[in-house]
Amino acid sequence: MATIGDVARAAGVSRSTVSYALSGNRPISRETRERIDQAILELGFTVNAGARALATAQTKAIGLLSQFHRDEFAPAMLQYIRSVSDAARELGYDVLFVTDIDGSAAVRRITSSNMVDGVVLLDVTHADPRLDALRAARQPGALVGLPGDTEGLDVFDLDFGESARVMVDHLYSLGHREIILVSPPKHVFERGGAYGWRFRDAAIERAGRYGIRIHPYYGESQQPEITVNIDAILDARPTATAMIVHNDATIAALPMVLQRRGVRVPDDLSVVSLYAQDFGRTFSLPYTAVESSPDKLGRMAVQQLVRRIIDPGQAGPAVVKFVAPELVDRGSTA
């Protein structure tokens, strides 16, 4: 196994210079850094995490906390896990993925034992029980998702309210006056998933301003309930001319259901939704949609977190940032 001395000899520098390059404690020239990186690559050198933590008081690891609920649509959450992991790796950090049911205890465990340099929270709820533990930790934290109380926290989320208004505006401009709205499942609302009611309430308010009849429904997250739910909604509202779908599991199943029913989009029914471009490719979704931006949100959260890890004084006060909605027209509305 290669040592730091082997890397130093191969790069033609001192051991201390290699150590500075690995820790980031002192600036080194770009040329020197490139020689060290090349030597590390050729020798297959791996930094000993324990030794690095002792020497730099840093683990170069980020804790990523989320939960996989049995009643949720897993592919949607995986988008955010991947984006955080990719962004962390690009900045030289490993990810410790924690899925404990007791999220507060998990935050205390990984921070008090100095297992990580910082924490990213996913699946954030309105009154998230993990926040007090995160605020009390020595390490900084960042959230993907908006809680009710953002004090002292870096928060990044899509502007779900504006996303709903953009969709209603789009349909209104095309002449639609009766719309179906499919929201996340009821259990998401009950668990405090604020993104659900932020979107729903904004859509209802905007439709009311225009005099649009809007019919809100909870969607489902697992088959066969998803298909049964879509059929029941369409049967109940035969005069609706458009559907807004804010439910990943529902929109993934919708093409199959509409084809079976002989419903043509957009000739018979206009459809607009909210999902990521990659998600749409995975499920071959042809619908006009607001980009949900999991890649952008994960990257923003990790970048801000790393700023606080490296130089807390320069990172500034806590920020709350929303990604503005971008409607991508794929021809599913008319």
Side-chain angles (χ1 to χ4, degrees):
M1 182 178 295
T3 67
I4 194 170
D6 297 328
V7 173
R9 284 189 293 274
V13 298
S14 67
R15 290 170 58 95
S16 60
T17 300
V18 177
S19 179
Y20 297 148
L22 294 172
S23 67
N25 287 341
R26 293 189 186 179
I28 59 174
S29 71
R30 179 177 178 180
E31 180 185 354
T32 301
R33 174 79 222 199
E34 289 176 350
R35 293 208 313 270
I36 292 171
D37 288 344
Q38 184 62 31
I40 288 172
L41 181 64
E42 291 176 353
L43 295 171
F45 174 73
T46 302
V47 181
N48 182 284
R52 179 174 59 192
L54 289 173
T56 67
Q58 291 188 351
T59 65
K60 297 296 285 185
I62 290 173
L64 175 58
L65 275 75
S66 185
Q67 292 184 25
F68 280 106
H69 300 286
R70 294 176 63 88
D71 54 7
E72 287 188 342
F73 191 57
M77 180 58 69
L78 287 172
Q79 301 172 89
Y80 295 89
I81 294 170
R82 185 182 65 184
S83 70
V84 170
S85 300
D86 288 347
R89 184 176 61 252
E90 290 170 8
L91 292 174
Y93 286 79
D94 293 320
V95 170
L96 175 64
F97 186 38
V98 183
T99 59
D100 287 19
I101 294 176
D102 189 341
S104 298
V107 171
R108 287 192 293 269
R109 184 180 73 254
I110 66 173
T111 55
S112 63
S113 60
N114 294 320
M115 297 170 66
V116 296
D117 297 331
V119 176
V120 174
L121 298 188
L122 299 180
D123 197 28
V124 176
T125 59
H126 185 69
D128 201 300
R130 300 171 294 181
L131 300 188
D132 287 342
L134 186 58
R135 290 189 177 101
R138 175 185 64 81
Q139 298 90 333
L143 281 60
V144 178
L146 179 69
D149 180 6
T150 63
E151 182 181 357
L153 300 169
D154 290 321
V155 176
F156 303 89
D157 205 1
L158 178 69
D159 191 336
F160 283 94
E162 186 61 18
S163 298
R165 288 185 283 270
V166 165
M167 292 186 200
V168 174
D169 289 350
H170 176 70
L171 292 173
Y172 179 76
S173 70
L174 295 174
H176 295 278
R177 299 297 181 264
E178 185 176 3
I179 300 172
I180 295 167
L181 169 62
V182 183
S183 293
K186 187 176 182 180
H187 59 248
V188 171
F189 288 77
E190 293 171 343
R191 280 201 289 260
Y195 69 92
W197 65 70
R198 284 161 55 201
F199 186 99
R200 180 198 61 191
D201 293 352
I204 292 172
E205 186 277 331
R206 194 65 144 211
R209 180 181 300 183
Y210 289 142
I212 295 174
R213 294 175 62 198
I214 188 166
H215 309 292
Y217 292 91
Y218 295 117
E220 296 290 342
S221 59
Q222 301 291 326
Q223 290 287 19
E225 291 83 2
I226 298 169
T227 299
V228 172
N229 177 256
I230 297 172
D231 278 330
I233 291 171
L234 292 172
D235 288 342
R237 302 297 176 185
T239 58
T241 59
M243 173 183 280
I244 295 174
V245 182
H246 180 211
N247 182 309
D248 290 312
T250 295
I251 200 64
L254 190 62
M256 175 192 67
V257 175
L258 294 183
Q259 183 179 29
R260 172 174 51 78
R261 293 175 67 99
V263 176
R264 299 167 300 164
V265 175
D267 297 348
D268 302 324
L269 182 72
S270 288
V271 176
V272 63
S273 188
L274 187 157
Y275 54 77
Q277 189 175 33
D278 286 347
F279 182 90
R281 280 196 293 264
T282 298
F283 290 95
S284 301
L285 300 180
Y287 304 125
T288 294
V290 166
E291 168 62 46
S292 59
S293 301
D295 289 344
K296 184 179 294 186
L297 289 167
R299 190 169 301 279
M300 290 167 65
V302 171
Q303 288 174 345
Q304 178 68 4
L305 182 64
V306 171
R307 289 189 196 102
R308 294 206 180 279
I309 292 170
I310 293 174
D311 193 345
Q314 292 297 316
V319 299
V320 177
K321 292 186 177 180
F322 295 107
V323 172
E326 175 190 357
L327 187 69
V328 180
D329 192 340
R330 299 186 177 95
S332 66
T333 58

